[in-house]
């Protein structure tokens, strides 16, 4: 079965403003995110990509633009199932404000029980994304063979949930996974089991440098802004 390259979108204006973007329209890459996207074709230069699939949201489409310009033979397919979690009434709000919501504790410690007001549950988010991957695996294998490599550009919580699915982790453990903006995660699927072969690879170790203010114990909902 194929190898899936999961790319989280580059850093966005919502990331730097500390907002939970969700499906809020008009959320673009910031200057750093645009630079991350511009570097993506070089990072993926050796991979013979057979298909490219994207979340419909602007920040993902902007992340893929340099790659598609560098490889005009590729066509991008849009799949809403790998779009960001529907955070409902939380969308567009400051993460600092949301930390005081009782639901945030559930999101952190028991995400399989978390459902966003006016939005969807985290279980539903993982289910739709995993179903999309399985359908694309079958399509890519049918059209390009079992050794094909294809790419999906998506969002932090979606990618973390797909990694948990691949590893057989309960959704309640997915907050232990970290994927920074424009990081690359690779999962090789086989008939019996998936293999996680890359996780959150940015090629940059800046985020590991100790900071004056240590990172928070909680996982950033939506994926966080990455290294400062």
């Amino acid at each position: 079965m194929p190898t899936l390259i999961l790319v989280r979108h580059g850093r966005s204006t919502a990331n730097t403003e500390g907002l939970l973007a969700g499906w809020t329209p008009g959320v673009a890459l910031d200057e750093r995110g645009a630079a991350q996207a511009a570097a993506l074709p070089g990072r993926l230069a050796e991979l013979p990509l057979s298909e490219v699939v994207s979340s419909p949201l602007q920040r993902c489409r902007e992340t893929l633009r340099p790659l598609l310009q560098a490889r005009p033979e590729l066509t991008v397919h849009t799949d809403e199932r790998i779009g960001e979690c529907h955070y409902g009434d939380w969308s567009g709000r400051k993460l600092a404000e949301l930390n005081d919501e009782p639901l945030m504790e559930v999101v952190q410690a028991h995400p399989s029980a978390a459902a966003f007001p006016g939005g969807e549950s985290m279980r539903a988010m993982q289910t739709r994304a995993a179903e999309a991957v399985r359908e694309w695996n079958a399509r890519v294998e049918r059209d390009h063979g079992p050794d094909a490599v294809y790419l999906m550009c998506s969002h932090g919580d979606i990618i973390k949930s797909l990694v948990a699915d691949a590893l057989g982790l309960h959704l309640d453990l997915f907050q232990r996974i970290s994927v920074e903006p424009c990081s690359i995660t690779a999962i090789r699927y086989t008939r019996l089991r998936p293999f996680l072969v890359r996780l959150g690879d940015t090629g940059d170790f800046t985020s590991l440098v100790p900071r004056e203010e240590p990172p928070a114990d909680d996982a950033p909902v939506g994926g966080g802004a990455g290294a400062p």
Side-chain angles (χ1 to χ4, degrees):
M1 296 180 69
T3 295
L4 170 60
I5 307 298
L6 288 161
V7 177
R8 185 185 167 197
H9 62 79
R11 196 173 75 176
S12 72
T13 53
N15 293 144
T16 48
E17 293 170 7
L19 300 175
L20 185 61
W23 284 70
T24 305
V27 176
L29 299 184
D30 67 6
E31 185 176 352
R32 180 170 182 167
Q36 291 170 333
L40 192 60
R43 294 169 62 197
L44 298 172
E46 296 184 11
L47 293 181
L49 299 175
S50 59
E51 300 279 3
V52 174
V53 187
S54 178
S55 156
L57 295 173
Q58 179 179 341
R59 52 197 182 274
C60 287
R61 292 186 281 109
E62 289 183 356
T63 298
L64 288 175
R65 189 172 298 151
L67 177 65
L68 296 172
Q69 290 173 345
R71 301 201 193 186
E73 74 280 5
L74 291 174
T75 301
V76 64
H77 307 273
T78 300
D79 194 325
E80 292 196 358
R81 294 174 297 176
I82 62 167
E84 180 64 283
C85 185
H86 291 277
Y87 296 116
D89 297 343
W90 280 26
S91 299
R93 292 181 60 188
K94 286 276 190 182
L95 287 165
E97 297 173 0
L98 293 171
N99 285 334
D100 296 328
E101 295 279 354
L103 178 60
M104 182 59 86
E105 186 177 10
V106 182
V107 170
Q108 292 293 326
H110 191 18
S112 66
F116 296 99
E120 70 179 333
S121 69
M122 302 199 91
R123 295 189 317 277
M125 173 200 75
Q126 183 186 43
T127 297
R128 63 172 163 87
E131 287 178 350
V133 166
R134 282 162 174 74
E135 289 181 19
W136 277 101
N137 281 348
R139 176 173 171 176
V140 170
E141 182 174 17
R142 181 197 68 206
D143 294 344
H144 303 282
D147 297 323
V149 179
Y150 75 107
L151 182 148
M152 283 185 169
C153 186
S154 189
H155 307 266
D157 282 349
I158 294 288
I159 294 172
K160 287 163 57 177
S161 75
L162 290 171
V163 170
D165 175 76
L167 292 176
L169 291 178
H170 196 283
L171 184 61
D172 286 345
L173 301 179
F174 100 126
Q175 297 290 28
R176 302 183 182 196
I177 299 165
S178 175
V179 289
E180 292 196 357
C182 223
S183 63
I184 293 172
T185 294
I187 302 172
R188 180 166 59 86
Y189 289 87
T190 73
R191 185 173 62 87
L192 296 180
R193 65 184 63 85
F195 291 90
L196 179 66
V197 293
R198 290 287 189 281
L199 176 61
D201 187 348
T202 64
D204 180 0
F205 297 101
T206 307
S207 62
L208 302 180
V209 175
R211 307 179 191 178
E212 292 183 7
E213 294 185 10
D217 291 335
D218 286 343
V221 181

